[in-house]
Structure formats: structure tokens, C-alpha cells
Amino acid sequence: MPPPPPSAPASHHLRLWWRRRGRAGAVGATFAVALLATALLLALSSYASIVFPASSGRRGPALVGLTLVRRASEKGALCLDGSAPGYHLQGGSGSGSRSWLIHLEGGGWCRNLKSCASRQRSMLGSSRYMEGQVEFTGILSDDKSQNPDFYNWNKVKIRYCDGASFSGDVKDELQNGTRFFFRGQRIWEAVMNELVVKGLRNAKQAFLTGCSAGGLATYIHCDSFRALLPKDSRVKCLADGGFFLDVEDISGRRTMHSFYSDIVRLQGLRERFSHCNSNMDAGQCFFPREVVKHIVNPVFVLNPAYDAWQVQHALAPEASDPQHSWLDCRLDISKCSPKQLGILQGFRKELHDAISEAKQKRGWGFYINSCFVHCQSLNSLTWHSPTSPRVNNKSIAEAVGDWFFDRREVKEIDCEYPCNPTCHNLVFARPFKI
């Protein structure tokens, strides 16, 4: 069975439009988005900047340079191809000079040597292909109007190039005669050590965030992040679009379970996870439902109830739909039939059931909206703008800020689709090819 997407060639072009329910034409014309290069990284782990009209008066997002980890080879902290991993650091100022926001980039996973070899030739497996500068938008923005609570913090985007959510640590480099470096855990440790020296150790408050595969990594590393900081500092975590579900697809197979089992075996993750006991099979260890049971530090779960990536690759993957009866629904939720919508409502219930135990955790927060999107914290339109999605009249940024600073308890659970007219739902122009 084909896997959920590792990465696509850099020449692959995927066009997406935001559609707001009830005024799709206007929003679609105003906020067209072209996402290029590695399709999973850009289309499914984060969104490129929205193109605003020239008359909007908005200034462009900050461009932040790439820093490669020093002496990466000595530390064994290497991308899949053996190159040094990297991160982008923007210094804080004023009241935010001793506050840190760390973001773990997403971009899927590779389940076998073939797919990992493909990633070695992309920014998802090699710093040789990473951009020298990236835009900081959404929760990383330095514009107070777009990011009111975190705009002047020290902000870091850690690039993702290990293929297993910053969690593997395989000593052997040779796999079937080819060199692969499964060193995500060492990358995490090496970057954290550099940031500690650069001021993280003196942080009064710190926030670990991540999107998609980086959201899963946030669950995995939340408690170890807390351990790096002073005991009297405020430290919390945010996982955006990272609560992947162990569900049956429309053909009755467990596509994601099989995929995760391969990752765990390939990168030796069973031995890495203390929560992975002998009663679990390999794939089960990697699902957030199991990981979160053992997290002590407070986490904010930001997820759409109809996650576009999971609908396309876990619930209704192309391999499970040989008659293409789900094609239109996979591209545009507004084109789903009543029967398909019923299945999507069942998927929403699976998410609610999966997070039920986490809901009881003290100090945790939730924002589950009824939108057909994936990651929402890295895009200024969905994070915080006059037209942002809202639940109980709160944008995502407002809800997250309220929770982080203990201004109120935040457990926002939206009603069923299509109840929320503020959603910006993704519309895919053509099938997403793997």
C-alpha cells in the first residue's frame, strides 16, 4: 500500500485556495496561495504566506537566516544524508528578551530506505537543499498586530531533516550498503544545547511548538524541553495539527498504523520510547494518543476536526479508493456527499475520543475547530487576522495566548461541519500526488 506522503520532487506544484464558507469566491480571489517545492513540507506541514492585496498596508514578514549546528559530525547530529542540521533564530527585544518560542518544523516521515533516500535529495533530509532565509509568519511573526503575545520573543524555527519527528538514534550508518543517518534525537539535543548557550537557559518563559510531524515531535519532547529550563520559569507546549489518529480507512485497512509501524522499526524507536511497553505493537507507540498519556508538562492541542492531511492520507487515501468516488470530497469538503460527511463526522468523533484522556490533564488547553485545514499556527490569516477562524469568538492566537498566560481556561471544541462560517477551508485544485 502506498504510504502517506514522504516528500515530492521540488518541481511538483500544488495549488491551494482558502475558502470561507458562504463567501468562497471573494476570499478565494483575495487570498490565493501557491505552495511550491516539497509538497508535504509546504502544503501539509505549514502554509506559505498569504498574498495580501497591495493596498492592505501590511508589511512583509521578517526573513531569518539559517544557522547550521556547529561540529555536527562530532556530535553525530546529522540529517539523513549526513549534512549538518540547521535552525533559524530571530532575537527577542524589550519585554520579550528573556522569552523563547521554539518551533519544530514538520514534513511527514519516511518509512523505508527508498523513501528516505528520496528525502536525502530534498530539504527534508539535507541542509544542502534548505533555503538560506525563511519568512517568519503566524506564531513566529514579529508584527504585534499579527502575533500580539509573542511578537518580540526570541523565536527559533528548527528545520526537520531526520524523517522520524526528531526521535531516532541509530548508530549504524550503513543500511543495505548505503549511508543513512537516523539521528533525530541527536539533532534535537544538539540544537537545544546551542540555544541553551545563546540564552535559553535564562528564559523566564518558554514555549515549544510544532506543526504536523513537528507537532508529534512536540508531544514527544515536551517534558525534556521543560527539563532544560529554570524551575521557576513558565514552560508550555503547543502541538499544531499533530494529533494523528489510528483509524481504519474507507477500505477497512489501518493505513497510518502500518506506516507508523515501519517508521518505528526502521529507526529503532521502540527502544527510544519509555511508554512503548511489551503489550503494544510497534506502530501504536508513535501515535499521540499513547504519547500524551505520559506527558507531565502542560500542552495545548490545536487541531482541526477535519484535518485535510489525515482525510487525504489516513481516512481516504487514494489506494483505498480505486473507483475515485472520494476524489471530489478529498479535494473540497463542500463537495462531500451526505454519506461521506457522515464518515467525516465519525472521524471527528474518533478525534474527540482520542483526546478524552488528555482533556482531563490539569492545565492542558484545546482548540478543535470544524475546518478542513491542517496546520494553522504558521499562517497569519489563520493564526490572527480580522478574518481568522474563530470558536466562541476567539481567534487561535487569542485562545493560545489566554491559555499560555493563564488568563482563562481554554477548552474550545467547535460544533460539527458546516456550522462554523469563519473557517477557511482548503480547496485542492487537483489530487495531491505522492
Side-chain angles (χ1 to χ4, degrees), residues 138 160 179 183 187 252 264 352 361 398:
Y160 177 41
R179 295 178 78 195
R183 304 285 178 78
I187 292 173
V264 170
H352 283 259
K361 285 179 172 282
E398 290 169 334

Side-chain angles (χ1 to χ4, degrees), residues 41-42 65-66 88 105 123 127 129-134 159:
L41 175 66
L42 296 180
L66 177 67
H88 304 261
E105 183 179 50
M123 68 180 74
S127 60
Y129 297 91
M130 293 176 185
E131 313 95 310
Q133 294 181 314
V134 297
R159 302 305 296 267

Side-chain angles (χ1 to χ4, degrees), residues 271-290:
E271 294 74 26
R272 305 290 309 160
F273 295 152
S274 59
H275 68 271
C276 194
N277 60 52
S278 58
N279 296 324
M280 296 182 188
D281 66 31
Q284 192 176 354
C285 301
F286 211 41
F287 281 100
R289 185 170 193 167
E290 298 300 328

Side-chain angles (χ1 to χ4, degrees), residues 72-90:
S73 293
E74 295 176 24
K75 301 169 185 175
L78 300 167
C79 297
L80 285 171
D81 71 332
S83 60
Y87 57 93
H88 304 261
L89 167 61
Q90 182 182 54

Side-chain angles (χ1 to χ4, degrees), residues 149-150 153 205 234 236 400-407:
D149 283 309
F150 311 108
W153 285 29
Q205 47 197 3
R234 181 196 303 267
K236 298 186 179 182
V400 171
D402 286 348
W403 171 79
F404 185 89
F405 294 104
D406 298 320
R407 295 192 287 250

Side-chain angles (χ1 to χ4, degrees), residues 33-35 42 46-52 59-66 88 90 103 105 131-142 146 155-157 159 377-380:
V33 185
L35 304 187
L42 296 180
S46 63
Y47 300 131
S49 297
I50 296 299
V51 180
F52 289 96
R59 65 181 179 85
L63 290 172
V64 183
L66 177 67
H88 304 261
Q90 182 182 54
H103 182 83
E105 183 179 50
E131 313 95 310
Q133 294 181 314
V134 297
E135 294 181 344
F136 271 20
T137 56
I139 197 172
L140 294 176
S141 174
D142 63 355
Q146 297 180 25
K155 295 185 290 292
V156 184
K157 181 176 183 177
R159 302 305 296 267
S377 64
L378 288 183
N379 188 293
S380 296

Side-chain angles (χ1 to χ4, degrees), residues 358-402:
K359 286 180 183 178
Q360 309 307 315
K361 285 179 172 282
R362 183 180 179 183
W364 283 46
F366 298 88
Y367 193 101
I368 311 296
N369 58 22
S370 61
C371 307
F372 183 65
V373 293
H374 187 42
C375 291
Q376 301 177 84
S377 64
L378 288 183
N379 188 293
S380 296
L381 177 63
T382 50
W383 174 245
H384 187 66
S385 77
T387 58
S388 287
R390 307 183 87 81
V391 178
N392 290 329
N393 203 32
K394 289 284 186 178
S395 71
I396 295 169
E398 290 169 334
V400 171
D402 286 348

